Amino acid sequence: MPKWAFRATSRTGQPVNPITKAPTDEITVHSEDELNRRLAIAENDPRDIAVEIRRLTD
C-alpha cells in the first residue's frame, strides 16, 4: 500500500513526465527508502524540481 504521494514540478517548465511532457507529475511511493531516493534525485535535477509530499497512510 502506498504511504506517500510525491509530486514533482519543474520550476523552469521543462517536462517531468516523459510520456505526457507535462511539467508536473505525481506518483505514489511505497517505502521510506524510495522516498529518500526520489528526494535526492530531485535535489540534483537540472530542471529545478519543486517537490510536494503528502502522507497517505500512517
Side-chain angles (χ1 to χ4, degrees):
M1 175 176 262
K3 293 184 178 183
W4 296 277
F6 181 96
R7 174 176 275 188
T9 302
S10 170
R11 291 184 186 112
T12 60
Q14 296 180 31
V16 173
N17 183 317
I19 297 169
T20 67
K21 307 291 188 224
T24 298
D25 196 20
E26 186 170 305
I27 62 164
T28 55
V29 178
H30 297 266
S31 72
E32 192 167 345
D33 287 340
E34 181 184 359
L35 178 64
N36 291 334
R37 184 179 62 83
R38 291 185 179 278
L39 284 169
I41 291 169
E43 185 176 307
N44 296 309
D45 194 293
R47 294 171 289 188
D48 193 17
I49 301 292
V51 173
E52 297 173 43
I53 300 167
R54 201 173 66 248
R55 190 168 192 84
L56 302 175
T57 62
D58 292 329

